[in-house]
Amino acid sequence: MDMKKLFYLWLSISLTLNLYAQEVKFHYSLTELYADIDRQLADKPGHAPVIGISSNDVNGKIQVNTTYVNAVLKAGGVPLVLPCTLQPEALATLLRQVDGLLLTGGEDFHPLLYGEEPLRQLGDVNTHRDVYDLMVLHIALQLKLPILGICRGEQLCNIGLGGTLYQDLPAQKAGVGMHRQSIPATVGSHSITIEPDSYLHRILGREQAVVNSFHHQAVKELAPGLKVSARSADGVVEAIEGFPTYNLLALQFHPEHLVNGDDAESFMPIFRDLIERAKSYKRKP
Ligand code: MN
């Protein structure tokens, strides 16, 4: 093995160990490791609500960004990644085990799902994920599960309940601003105005916020039973909610990244609220 290969081997091993060390102390002895695990479990009752997190199937691998998983953990929930499979029975069995649902981001929906032919500006679509997401949403609504939708997850809630999307904001909405930021996701790039009488306003406690933006689509016609809870200055829908008809809050921006930035405390209430709604759901017989 030459020196270059040896260097990369050393680098990958040390990076792996470093990443692991951020989560738990690394023990070189099994006895110590097991004792540490038992110590950590001893004072935990294990009654935290379980939050299902939707995933994707990318090149034969189930994928979900760890930011979603970590945000749920940070708020006091237990994340359960729901595999991107198309068996309604399996998904229903899983969804009956959870107390809340987090619908995650991803590619564009196929526009035929909301009655439109695809425009040239449409991005990548993934029909497997479309069917999976709609199955998960449909079952979750029947179970009346508390839902938090993020980005594509927000668009899913809208089209799944009968609404439509702008396939491409720059092509279809006059005067639209920048909604695809190039700065890091932990930093906000445009402001939103939150409806004073909305559920979102109640949990965030303010009318203005600066959010991140990584989308070229957005809600066009709102689905029946939903209302707009926030818009950007150019009029783009940035948050929707369904209370009391649906136990549903959905956001076009990505709070799971903002909770890792300087403004973390402004956005943690979104995840804490999901956990609170999940606790109330869990308590119901
Ligand atoms: Mn935006």
Side-chain angles (χ1 to χ4, degrees):
M1 192 182 283
D2 62 30
M3 286 309 285
K4 202 171 158 188
K5 273 187 186 160
L6 202 63
F7 170 74
Y8 282 112
L9 182 67
W10 167 80
L11 189 70
S12 65
I13 290 171
S14 53
L15 281 176
T16 310
L17 289 179
N18 274 331
L19 282 174
Y20 186 58
Q22 286 169 7
E23 301 292 328
V24 294
K25 185 172 181 297
F26 187 78
H27 297 279
Y28 293 92
S29 129
L30 281 181
T31 320
E32 278 178 33
L33 176 61
Y34 294 155
D36 193 5
I37 295 168
D38 291 339
R39 233 182 345 260
Q40 289 188 56
L41 286 175
D43 48 291
K44 299 273 160 62
H47 293 148
V50 178
I51 306 296
I53 302 181
S54 64
S55 68
N56 203 354
D57 183 338
V58 182
N59 301 322
K61 287 192 174 103
I62 298 291
Q63 287 191 356
V64 64
N65 289 345
T66 47
T67 44
Y68 295 111
V69 170
N70 292 338
V72 166
L73 282 168
K74 200 171 164 184
V78 175
L80 176 68
V81 177
L82 307 169
C84 189
T85 173
L86 303 187
Q87 288 192 31
E89 246 185 88
L91 293 172
T93 303
L94 283 169
L95 286 164
R96 280 193 287 265
Q97 312 298 315
V98 307
D99 311 301
L101 177 64
L102 174 49
L103 297 167
T104 59
E107 302 100 322
D108 292 358
F109 276 97
H110 199 296
L112 284 174
L113 287 168
Y114 46 89
E116 289 187 11
E117 294 297 326
L119 297 181
R120 271 185 301 119
Q121 293 88 349
L122 182 72
D124 291 339
V125 293
N126 175 344
T127 49
H128 180 97
R129 176 92 194 270
D130 288 354
V131 175
Y132 162 77
D133 269 351
L134 287 161
M135 276 181 183
V136 169
L137 177 71
H138 183 63
I139 298 164
L141 289 173
Q142 284 175 337
L143 293 170
K144 300 190 184 332
L145 271 175
I147 296 171
L148 174 63
I150 294 180
C151 199
R152 173 188 164 97
E154 182 233 28
Q155 296 167 1
L156 163 65
C157 294
N158 190 50
I159 68 158
L161 288 167
T164 65
L165 302 176
Y166 286 108
Q167 290 185 43
D168 183 66
L169 283 170
Q172 292 181 287
K173 192 168 161 55
V176 77
M178 170 56 82
H179 289 270
R180 269 185 162 167
Q181 72 186 54
S182 51
I183 54 175
T186 51
V187 184
S189 69
H190 70 65
S191 59
I192 57 168
T193 302
I194 301 164
E195 289 294 326
D197 61 343
S198 64
Y199 186 82
L200 184 64
H201 186 272
R202 210 165 82 206
I203 61 171
L204 292 186
R206 52 200 180 123
E207 251 172 80
Q208 294 284 326
V210 178
V211 300
N212 55 12
S213 203
F214 295 92
H215 59 110
H216 79 118
Q217 299 196 318
V219 168
K220 190 164 70 181
E221 291 159 272
L222 195 65
L226 298 183
K227 71 173 204 170
V228 173
S229 33
R231 285 180 194 272
S232 49
D234 53 10
V236 172
V237 173
E238 289 280 340
I240 57 177
E241 55 189 56
F243 309 97
T245 315
Y246 305 108
N247 193 341
L248 182 161
L249 175 67
L251 314 163
Q252 184 57 74
F253 55 95
H254 286 271
E256 81 282 9
H257 285 293
L258 294 167
V259 296
N260 296 321
D262 291 341
D263 208 11
E265 267 315 301
S266 300
F267 297 97
M268 269 314 289
I270 290 166
F271 293 101
R272 291 195 200 108
D273 166 71
L274 175 64
I275 304 307
E276 286 311 310
R277 284 190 283 142
K279 279 182 186 166
S280 308
Y281 180 85
K282 201 178 155 92
R283 276 196 294 271
K284 281 183 189 152

